[in-house]
Amino acid sequence: MIRPDFIFMLTRHDRTVENAADLVETARAAGVRHIGFKDIGLPFAALQALASTIRQAGAKIYLEVVSLDRESELRSVRAGIALGVDYLLGGTHVDDVLRLLEGTTIRYFPFPGRITGHPSILEGPEAEIVRSAVDLASRPGVHGLDLLAYRFTGDVPSLMRRICEAVADKPVIVAGSLDRAERIRAAAAAGAAGFTVGTAVLDGAFPAPPDLARQIAYIQTTVRQL
C-alpha cells in the first residue's frame, strides 16, 4: 500500500477560515508539506497573502474550487492562476477550465460525478460516477481527480476502489468528511494518492488533544502506520 499525501485544508465547512494564514506556521512546523484552501471565504487580497505565506513555508499550494455556477468557477480558476497555485482541485466545468489552464504548470484535479450544494455533495449512482471519472481522466490536461467520496451516500469503499482502479494512470485525491482514522485507512486501501482534511482537524474531531499540532500529528501517525 502506498502512503497517500496528507493535504491540510485551511477550511471549515467548505470555506477558507479567516485566520488561515495564522495556521500555516503550525502546520509546517508539524511537517505538513501540502496545504490548501477553498475559493470561498476570503477576498482575493487575503488569498494572495495566504498563498505567499504557504509558499514561503516551503509547502505545495492547493486551491479547491467549490463554486457551483460556471462564472464563479472560472473566476476562481483565474484567481488560482494569478496566485500561482501548484494544484487546482475540484470544479465541474472542465472544458472551460482546461482552456484557461493551457500554458500553465498547474496540476488539475476536477470533481467526477454530479456535484450539488454547499458544502458539496456527490450525487448519482456509483456506475455513473465511475464513468465520469474515466471520461475526465482521459482528457489531456487533467492530471488526476478530486473525489468527494465521503459526500456520497452509497458504498464509499467500493466507489473509491472502482475509481482508483479505473483511472490507474491518474492519481485520485479523496476529499470531504475524512473525519476519522478509519476513513483515511479506507482511502489508502482503495489506492488514493492523497486525501484532504480541514474541518475535522480544526474542530478537534480526531482522538487527540484538540490543538492543531496534535490533531495533525494524529493524522500523520495514522498515515505512517499504513
Side-chain angles (χ1 to χ4, degrees):
M1 181 188 302
I2 297 175
R3 291 174 179 166
D5 290 326
F6 163 39
I7 304 162
F8 173 43
M9 298 297 290
L10 301 162
T11 61
R12 179 180 278 112
H13 305 308
D14 279 0
R15 299 179 66 89
T16 302
V17 296
E18 291 186 5
N19 66 333
D22 298 332
L23 305 177
V24 174
E25 182 177 352
T26 299
R28 278 301 290 139
V32 177
R33 297 179 294 110
H34 306 271
I35 301 177
F37 49 87
K38 301 291 174 69
D39 60 326
I40 293 175
L42 290 178
F44 181 71
L47 292 180
Q48 280 184 308
L50 177 57
S52 177
T53 299
I54 296 171
R55 187 175 297 108
Q56 289 172 9
K60 295 292 186 181
I61 306 172
Y62 294 71
L63 171 63
E64 186 169 44
V65 178
V66 292
S67 296
L68 293 175
D69 66 276
R70 177 180 178 276
E71 290 309 313
S72 294
E73 179 175 333
L74 297 186
R75 185 163 54 247
S76 295
V77 172
R78 293 186 184 98
I81 294 170
L83 293 170
V85 302
D86 299 296
Y87 291 80
L88 180 71
L89 308 182
T92 59
H93 296 84
V94 176
D95 292 331
D96 294 318
V97 172
L98 285 172
R99 283 191 286 271
L100 289 178
L101 293 179
E102 189 172 350
T104 75
T105 60
I106 295 174
R107 299 183 66 78
Y108 179 37
F109 288 59
F111 290 136
R114 286 185 279 129
I115 309 299
T116 63
H118 189 270
S120 302
I121 300 297
L122 175 58
E123 294 189 337
E126 181 177 304
E128 177 186 304
I129 300 168
V130 173
R131 285 195 299 271
S132 170
V134 171
D135 173 64
L136 292 177
S138 69
R139 303 189 191 191
V142 170
H143 299 90
L145 300 174
D146 187 20
L147 177 62
L148 294 173
Y150 285 100
R151 303 283 179 83
F152 172 63
T153 59
D155 185 337
V156 173
S158 174
L159 177 68
M160 292 190 294
R161 184 182 64 256
R162 286 186 63 187
I163 287 181
C164 289
E165 290 175 352
V167 300
D169 59 333
K170 298 284 179 76
V172 175
I173 292 173
V174 174
S177 302
L178 278 90
D179 56 3
R180 63 203 75 166
E182 292 80 4
R183 291 185 171 184
I184 294 172
R185 287 193 283 266
F195 64 94
T196 69
V197 184
T199 302
V201 170
L202 298 182
D203 288 353
F206 293 94
D211 63 278
L212 179 59
R214 294 183 184 182
Q215 287 284 300
I216 288 174
Y218 181 88
I219 294 173
Q220 292 170 322
T221 297
T222 299
V223 173
R224 284 196 296 269
Q225 291 175 343
L226 291 171

